[in-house]
Amino acid sequence: MRLRQSNKKKRFGLPDYGLDLDNSDADSTVPRADSSEDEFVVDAAAGEEEEADEVESEQGEEDADGDDNEFNGSAGRSTSRTVNAAKTAKAKGKGKGKTPGRTKEDQSAKSAHGFSEVPPYPSDPGQRWTRTYIGPIKRWTRFYELVDWWFGDKPDRRHILDGYLKLWWQHELIPPKLTSQPRLLIAQSGWMPGNFCDDQRSKFRQLYDNRLVHQFRQQISTPVDKAKASHWSIPQPQAGLGVFLGHVSDQKLYHIQHGESISFSDTGRPISDADDEAIVTGGWLVDVGGIPISIAWAPSQGHISQLLAIGIAPFSDQAYYRDLKDFPKELEQKEGKVQILRFEAVKDRQGIFRPSRRAPRLTQSLCFSWGRVSRIQWCPVPLAAEDATRLLGVLCVDGKLRIIGVQNVSERDNHEAFEEIEQPMILLEPPKEYSMEITCFTWINMNRVATGLSDGSIIVWSLSPPRILQRNPIHSTAIMDIVSGYPSDPFLVSTVPIGGVLTLTDLSRPSAETTYHPNMMVSLQPNLLSWSPHLRGFASIWPSAFAGNPNLTFLPVRGFPLCRHLITVTGQPTSISIGPCHPYILTGTTDGSIWVFNTLRKLSSHREKTMKVKLFQHEFRAPPPLNTQYNEEEANSRGICRILDGFLPEPNSHPTGVKMAETQRLNREKNLKEGQTKNKSKGKAPRKPARSQSKTPGQADGEVDEEAAMTSGPGPIVLYEPQTRITTVAWNPNVEFSWWAAAAIASGLVRVMDIGAEPHVKRSDNDVPEPDDENEDEPDMDAMVDDNEEEERHGDIDMVSDGD
């Protein structure tokens, strides 16, 4: 082996980190290494010698190869000389065009800036990604590997995930209706012990008997009659609403007014009293007489009837006024109202609770003068019938959070209670600073509440005694949403600002344990953050600065900076909700649609082909203006709406995958045409055409599918009628009713749906149907590992499903 001449003159030393160390060789002239650009730096002369040595080494290798191969012909020697001459000329040309190397003085001057110096923020607008994630989790990581990364802190993670897969893997669109107690316990407990709910209920009773009962006695409320409550709190709309219901080919017009409801079947068709009793009831459609701003199911245990709290604002607050002088004054918007409706259920022979045909009843109406309701949330501890009082958090537009004690009303009591709350049970006021308000809140446990403020900070409150425990600056803009990881990770709080980054903070160590998604985002819509207790992660809008972002994403707690795509909807998302007792997500949009799908199936692999389904779509048309001609029936109506049901499932494809597949299809077709043209010119037989991706109906050859191309980037923003949108959605948190969902619509309607999948029924000897909960064909973690290995052997799978 022959050494290069330039290597004999090189000397290497440690890099200079700018530390003033008293070394004996500090004045040494040994060139320093610069880790910012090259692996090591040498003199310019040494570089030229190295080029020459490379040419000489290549010539030596050519000669050695020639000797070994005994290639002694004259033609071979001539060819070798020609090749060597060409390489020598090429090396000389490189040496002439090469920039001179840096001198020792330049190197030492640059290293004098110091190792700890913070580099300046890039001013070039082309450098968009100034923050990025580098870690072990990738977008293509398999699900069985994600289990170890996402749930690595749980020793029995694979056993628990096996139970989840057996419950929900086979049900791709809607959650199943569970009947067996072991499965109900798995769905309710999640990552918590089986006795967690009973333990929380026992601790709440102790807290209430020892402390909260004294604060509840300080709550001042006055009973009022129904007429005063209707006119004093929210102006009761005198006009009704026309609704088109039924199958799309046979819809009929129904009229509904404030306080009335319509029962419908599991297929979406209205049910009348004369219909057959065998028709299965699928839910109710209720007119609440205003815009439902926020809804919340009451956590309970042992109750057959379900309670739903609804925060309502009058239509006049969001109506269009040609003259701003007609807009309601601030003094006229001091009244607020929360209605609590009771929905009764019946238990069938399979042990499944189904909606009753009885109309929902208004049990309590809470009226106050603190302003319009912004958000409401029940205390997350499920209470039984013997518990006297529930805790309801109410956030109003005045920027103060109030905890109201709501007395538990017996299911047999049909009396409607109207109360005027003059003083709440607990009042939480933000610090008295300039324009400081509470913008959102979340329950951490039965005695802790976290609130997001308008200055971007988070405050943790104690309810008994009421005081501030800590305040942490998180964002520089107002916080739109805040959600805690109750019950498994209650002190992990995720926050969404108006402008900034999506952040996750551990309130037990807020100064040290915090992380964020690197993409900047703009969020002007609340209710776009939800916690999944089974998957231990948050669902939110895709972090983007585009105001018309239609994408939703999932951010696991143990991999928060790397999100995974969930769904792309038509319009813009307005509200999302993941079930507390299952991993299915509800999504409401501005076009009046409700989407649902299985997030566990979607997150299992980026190659997994999953489906989504639209539950219904709502459309609203406002009445004609006052200066136009209309009949008496239109004068007594506040508008007409239509609700469509019976949509087929659709592929839930990744937007980037759709765009990439579309580009690949066009490239394959282009290459195929070019190859056929070349084969014809050479007289060769045409090759078999490769399988191409399916095209959109009506799409011409060589034309890009605009719908597929616009899913991942900025696209057109479609404006709909304001009262068409879905304001908020919510799953029922009680495990025996976990497949019940509520959707609030801006037209004044609230739709309560039973959307669970029926269990497999087997016939017994006496011909009595029995639910078949145990399915031997259900997958587990080992089966998923085998499927992924089989998938790797057969190659990649397209992310876009082929059409028919």
Side-chain angles (χ1 to χ4, degrees):
M1 178 179 178
R2 184 173 53 183
L3 297 177
R4 298 179 180 180
Q5 294 295 332
S6 59
N7 289 340
K8 300 178 180 179
K9 301 179 182 181
K10 291 181 181 178
R11 296 182 63 189
F12 303 95
L14 295 176
D16 187 3
Y17 294 114
L19 303 178
D20 188 10
L21 300 177
D22 187 12
N23 294 332
S24 60
D25 57 345
D27 298 333
S28 177
T29 59
V30 178
R32 299 289 185 177
D34 187 3
S35 60
S36 61
E37 296 181 4
D38 302 328
E39 184 179 359
F40 55 86
V41 179
V42 296
D43 295 340
E48 296 176 358
E49 293 178 2
E50 184 176 351
E51 294 287 346
D53 290 340
E54 289 179 359
V55 177
E56 183 180 354
S57 176
E58 291 174 357
Q59 294 176 354
E61 292 174 359
E62 293 285 346
D63 297 339
D65 295 339
D67 296 338
D68 294 339
N69 298 329
E70 296 182 356
F71 186 69
N72 299 322
S74 59
R77 288 192 295 270
S78 177
T79 304
S80 178
R81 295 192 195 99
T82 305
V83 173
N84 294 337
K87 292 184 177 180
T88 304
K90 185 177 180 180
K92 290 182 179 180
K94 289 183 179 180
K96 292 181 180 180
K98 191 174 182 179
T99 56
R102 292 178 298 175
T103 62
K104 301 176 182 179
E105 291 77 7
D106 297 337
Q107 174 65 20
S108 59
K110 183 174 181 178
S111 62
H113 290 286
F115 176 75
S116 60
E117 180 182 0
V118 179
Y121 195 83
S123 59
D124 184 8
Q127 300 181 4
R128 299 173 55 188
W129 308 109
T130 57
R131 296 170 304 275
T132 185
Y133 166 79
I134 300 178
I137 304 177
K138 308 299 181 183
R139 298 187 187 278
W140 54 85
T141 304
R142 305 290 183 178
F143 180 71
Y144 60 88
E145 296 177 357
L146 286 177
V147 170
D148 295 332
W149 288 113
W150 288 357
F151 315 107
D153 57 335
K154 303 294 183 180
D156 54 346
R157 54 187 177 274
R158 291 189 174 273
H159 175 72
I160 295 177
L161 260 296
D162 281 340
Y164 294 165
L165 294 176
K166 293 179 180 179
L167 284 181
W168 300 303
W169 180 261
Q170 298 292 348
H171 302 273
E172 189 173 359
L173 297 176
I174 55 179
K177 296 180 179 179
L178 307 177
T179 56
S180 64
Q181 290 299 324
R183 294 198 165 193
L184 290 173
L185 185 61
I186 293 175
Q188 182 183 24
S189 301
W191 297 91
M192 306 305 295
N195 60 346
F196 174 76
C197 293
D198 296 335
D199 183 64
Q200 287 290 301
R201 191 180 309 108
S202 175
K203 291 181 178 180
F204 180 83
R205 292 173 181 173
Q206 296 178 6
L207 177 65
Y208 181 81
D209 295 338
N210 297 333
R211 298 183 182 181
L212 295 179
V213 64
H214 305 289
Q215 296 173 294
F216 178 71
R217 294 171 182 172
Q218 299 177 0
Q219 178 173 307
I220 301 176
S221 61
T222 303
V224 295
D225 57 358
K226 183 176 181 180
K228 184 178 180 180
S230 301
H231 294 284
W232 174 83
S233 177
I234 299 295
Q236 181 178 357
Q238 302 297 330
L241 179 66
V243 185
F244 283 97
L245 298 174
H247 192 266
V248 63
S249 61
D250 185 23
Q251 285 200 325
K252 297 181 181 180
L253 179 62
Y254 296 83
H255 294 277
I256 187 173
Q257 293 186 354
H258 175 223
E260 298 180 352
S261 63
I262 299 176
S263 298
F264 55 86
S265 64
D266 54 353
T267 60
R269 298 184 179 182
I271 300 177
S272 61
D273 297 336
D275 291 336
D276 187 8
E277 293 292 337
I279 299 178
V280 179
T281 306
W284 304 271
L285 189 67
V286 185
D287 187 355
V288 297
I291 302 177
I293 301 297
S294 180
I295 59 177
W297 291 97
S300 61
Q301 185 177 15
H303 290 269
I304 298 180
S305 300
Q306 300 297 296
L307 299 178
L308 180 65
I310 307 173
I312 303 173
F315 294 107
S316 58
D317 288 359
Q318 299 183 9
Y320 174 74
Y321 296 92
R322 295 183 179 273
D323 190 358
L324 294 179
K325 296 181 180 179
D326 298 335
F327 188 80
K329 304 298 186 295
E330 185 177 356
L331 296 177
E332 300 176 4
Q333 299 181 353
K334 291 294 186 181
E335 295 81 11
K337 184 177 183 181
V338 175
Q339 293 182 356
I340 302 178
L341 301 181
R342 182 184 298 276
F343 297 88
E344 297 184 5
V346 293
K347 191 174 183 179
D348 61 4
R349 292 186 298 176
Q350 300 180 14
I352 300 175
F353 289 97
R354 303 183 184 274
S356 173
R357 288 197 178 187
R358 296 182 181 179
R361 295 184 293 105
L362 177 65
T363 60
Q364 290 172 296
S365 181
L366 308 178
C367 309
F368 39 80
S369 301
W370 310 319
R372 308 299 192 204
V373 177
S374 176
R375 309 191 187 198
I376 56 176
Q377 286 187 24
W378 293 95
C379 177
V381 179
L383 301 181
E386 56 270 16
D387 295 309
T389 306
R390 303 176 183 269
L391 301 183
L392 177 64
V394 179
L395 177 63
C396 298
V397 294
D398 62 349
K400 299 178 182 180
L401 177 61
R402 296 168 176 86
I403 307 299
I404 300 177
V406 180
Q407 292 185 349
N408 198 358
V409 181
S410 174
E411 297 182 1
R412 300 180 181 179
D413 190 359
N414 297 327
H415 178 69
E416 298 180 355
F418 299 90
E419 295 183 59
E420 177 185 353
I421 309 298
E422 300 178 3
Q423 181 176 337
M425 175 178 172
I426 301 172
L427 175 61
L428 304 179
E429 297 186 72
K432 295 182 179 180
E433 301 177 8
Y434 178 73
S435 67
M436 182 68 63
E437 296 179 351
I438 297 177
T439 56
C440 52
F441 74 100
T442 181
W443 289 84
I444 297 178
N445 53 39
M446 65 187 73
N447 196 34
R448 297 289 185 271
V449 174
T451 60
L453 301 183
S454 56
D455 67 341
S457 61
I458 295 178
I459 293 182
V460 179
W461 303 80
S462 170
L463 300 185
S464 180
R467 63 184 57 180
I468 296 178
L469 299 180
Q470 58 176 276
R471 181 179 180 183
N472 308 299
I474 304 297
H475 301 282
S476 58
T477 59
I479 298 177
M480 290 297 297
D481 277 310
I482 180 172
V483 174
S484 71
Y486 181 89
S488 60
D489 303 276
F491 288 96
L492 291 181
V493 174
S494 180
T495 52
V496 176
I498 291 181
V501 292
L502 187 62
T503 306
L504 177 65
T505 306
D506 187 356
L507 296 179
S508 61
R509 299 182 61 189
S511 60
E513 299 295 337
T514 181
T515 184
Y516 60 87
H517 191 277
N519 288 3
M520 299 291 291
M521 66 181 302
V522 174
S523 178
L524 304 177
Q525 176 67 37
N527 301 323
L528 289 179
L529 185 63
S530 182
W531 163 258
S532 175
H534 298 90
L535 301 179
R536 295 184 66 196
F538 296 89
S540 177
I541 189 172
W542 189 286
S544 173
F546 178 51
N549 183 11
N551 303 316
L552 296 179
T553 183
F554 181 81
L555 303 100
V557 168
R558 290 174 57 87
F560 197 81
L562 187 63
C563 60
R564 293 201 164 210
H565 173 263
L566 286 180
I567 187 176
T568 300
V569 298
T570 55
Q572 282 72 52
T574 57
S575 178
I576 59 176
S577 175
I578 298 182
C581 298
H582 53 72
Y584 294 80
I585 185 172
L586 277 176
T587 304
T589 62
T590 55
D591 67 342
S593 301
I594 292 289
W595 296 87
V596 63
F597 64 95
N598 188 350
T599 57
L600 177 63
R601 191 94 178 243
K602 176 65 176 178
L603 298 174
S604 62
S605 173
H606 72 288
R607 301 178 180 180
E608 178 72 23
K609 296 179 181 179
T610 59
M611 306 294 287
K612 60 184 178 181
V613 65
K614 184 188 297 185
L615 294 179
F616 71 89
Q617 184 170 2
H618 168 265
E619 300 179 12
F620 178 82
R621 292 295 180 267
L626 297 177
N627 55 359
T628 58
Q629 297 292 333
Y630 52 88
N631 53 32
E632 183 178 357
E633 183 178 355
E634 293 178 346
N636 295 328
S637 175
R638 65 175 191 264
I640 296 178
C641 65
R642 178 177 66 175
I643 297 179
L644 301 176
D645 303 270
F647 292 91
L648 296 177
E650 300 179 14
N652 188 13
S653 303
H654 193 293
T656 305
V658 174
K659 190 174 181 179
M660 292 173 59
E662 182 71 12
T663 305
Q664 293 174 2
R665 182 187 65 82
L666 296 177
N667 292 338
R668 282 196 299 267
E669 293 179 355
K670 182 180 178 180
N671 296 335
L672 180 61
K673 292 180 180 179
E674 293 178 354
Q676 291 177 355
T677 304
K678 292 180 180 179
N679 292 336
K680 289 181 180 179
S681 62
K682 295 181 179 180
K684 297 181 179 180
R687 294 181 300 176
K688 184 179 180 180
R691 184 177 64 89
S692 60
Q693 295 289 340
S694 59
K695 296 188 295 184
T696 304
Q699 179 183 354
D701 294 337
E703 181 182 355
V704 178
D705 186 3
E706 295 184 358
E707 182 179 358
M710 299 300 289
T711 52
S712 60
I717 300 177
V718 181
L719 299 180
Y720 299 93
E721 186 73 26
Q723 296 186 28
T724 297
R725 75 186 189 276
I726 305 296
T727 57
T728 181
V729 293
W731 284 105
N732 195 315
N734 305 316
V735 63
E736 294 180 339
F737 301 84
S738 58
W739 47 88
W740 284 24
I745 310 174
S747 60
L749 300 177
V750 174
R751 185 181 173 101
V752 177
M753 305 166 287
D754 179 3
I755 58 177
E758 297 293 335
H760 298 283
V761 178
K762 60 180 180 180
R763 296 287 177 175
S764 59
D765 297 337
N766 54 359
D767 199 24
V768 177
E770 297 179 358
D772 186 12
D773 287 336
E774 302 296 336
N775 189 358
E776 298 179 356
D777 298 333
E778 291 173 338
D780 55 5
M781 290 295 300
D782 297 334
M784 293 198 63
V785 172
D786 297 338
D787 292 342
N788 282 280
E789 292 177 352
E790 185 73 16
E791 181 180 320
E792 290 178 352
R793 287 195 296 268
H794 288 283
D796 294 343
I797 299 177
D798 296 333
M799 285 186 286
V800 184
S801 58
D802 298 333
D804 297 334

